[in-house]
Amino acid sequence: MKIRYTTILPEDILNQTKEKAKEEGCGGNAIIEKALRLYFSSHLPNEVWEKSLESGWIKKVVLLDDGILFENIKCRKTITNYKKEEYTQEALKSRGWKKV
């Protein structure tokens, strides 16, 4: 059973929803429903802890309801000046990257 629900969304999010709906050939409500299902089905962390080591590594612990995720990160940096064509889905896939 579906029920009617009304909310106020920021204009930019609503526009993104409409664009995604056009791409997928469905309505905006379907995209919002899909997003909510994804949100509630994913393992949302209860807490995330990080520790920087002198070696430059970052240790990360993600506490989940059903377990713990440990990560070791060698490098984390943000780049704003880059060649966008090198980071398209096709380009990344061809270089062995997997979308998660």
Side-chain angles (χ1 to χ4, degrees):
M1 177 175 94
K2 293 192 176 196
I3 61 169
R4 181 173 294 280
Y5 181 78
T6 305
T7 185
I8 298 171
L9 296 172
E11 187 176 356
D12 63 324
I13 291 177
L14 187 57
N15 290 337
Q16 289 175 22
T17 302
K18 289 177 183 177
E19 288 173 23
K20 186 70 173 170
K22 255 189 226 178
E23 289 173 14
E24 294 194 12
C26 60
N29 285 347
I31 299 298
I32 294 170
E33 183 178 336
K34 188 185 278 189
L36 287 170
R37 289 188 188 282
L38 179 63
Y39 175 81
F40 286 112
S41 69
S42 64
H43 294 286
L44 298 175
N46 293 333
E47 291 183 50
V48 178
W49 292 79
E50 288 186 355
K51 174 171 72 171
S52 296
L53 305 178
E54 289 180 19
S55 63
W57 284 81
I58 299 169
K59 290 207 173 262
K60 182 176 179 179
V61 176
V62 180
L63 305 177
L64 305 166
D65 284 333
D66 60 350
I68 297 172
L69 172 66
F70 289 101
E71 294 181 14
N72 291 309
I73 304 164
K74 176 61 178 166
C75 174
R76 179 187 292 156
K77 59 181 158 180
T78 303
I79 300 171
T80 55
N81 187 13
Y82 63 99
K83 296 178 184 174
K84 291 185 182 195
E85 64 274 3
E86 292 181 9
Y87 294 90
T88 63
Q89 286 189 13
E90 296 80 20
L92 289 169
K93 282 181 185 177
S94 72
R95 295 196 312 265
W97 289 88
K98 292 183 182 178
K99 189 172 183 179
V100 293

